[in-house]
Amino acid sequence: QVQLVESGGGSVQSGGNLRLSCAASGHTDSIYCMGWYRQVPGKEREGVAAIDPNGDTAYADSVKGRFTISRDDAKNTLTLQMNNLKPEDTAMYYCAADPGHLRPLYYVRSVRFAYAGQGTQVTVSQ
């Protein structure tokens, strides 16, 4: 099993920045791809970004150029730097991981991860 714990959410004004972090524990050696997805109540999950151990990344079109995903496998951490936030970025953000050796774009599109954290709320006001 893998446990994922997010931190760094909060409330900001439009145009502001936030940095989300995720700490992984447990059988972390089984993790291949890691990523972030978000969800608004009443709506489907939306893949935000994903990264594999080689550093290859994929992003949702809605966040390209504004968000940056990174990982530190030595520390078992995942980070999402979110810049120029917009009200439509408001959602619960979840850290996720999967042992499958698939490309990051697959995970952004499918949002099919074996493990996910409890989520951290991001609220962007006008």
Side-chain angles (χ1 to χ4, degrees):
Q1 284 287 357
V2 173
Q3 293 78 45
L4 303 168
V5 179
E6 304 93 339
S7 61
S11 297
V12 295
Q13 290 189 326
S14 182
N17 305 328
L18 280 175
R19 186 179 182 91
L20 304 184
S21 296
C22 173
S25 60
H27 289 285
T28 56
D29 55 344
S30 68
I31 294 174
Y32 187 78
C33 198
M34 299 187 77
W36 295 90
Y37 66 87
R38 63 190 182 187
Q39 191 167 24
V40 175
K43 293 189 176 181
E44 292 188 355
R45 296 176 181 179
E46 178 188 18
V48 175
I51 183 170
D52 70 13
N54 300 314
D56 291 336
T57 59
Y59 295 92
D61 288 343
S62 58
V63 306
K64 279 182 183 177
R66 300 187 297 121
F67 290 12
T68 302
I69 189 171
S70 60
R71 63 191 281 176
D72 185 336
D73 290 337
K75 297 181 179 179
N76 294 319
T77 58
L78 180 72
T79 300
L80 185 68
Q81 178 65 44
M82 305 186 295
N83 296 335
N84 190 22
L85 283 159
K86 303 176 181 181
E88 51 263 42
D89 294 318
T90 295
M92 186 72 81
Y93 282 71
Y94 297 87
C95 172
D98 195 86
H101 287 219
L102 300 173
R103 300 186 68 177
L105 186 58
Y106 165 83
Y107 293 99
V108 171
R109 289 179 173 174
S110 70
V111 203
R112 291 186 177 180
F113 293 93
Y115 308 106
Q118 295 298 308
T120 186
Q121 178 68 37
V122 171
T123 302
V124 185
S125 59
Q126 289 283 6

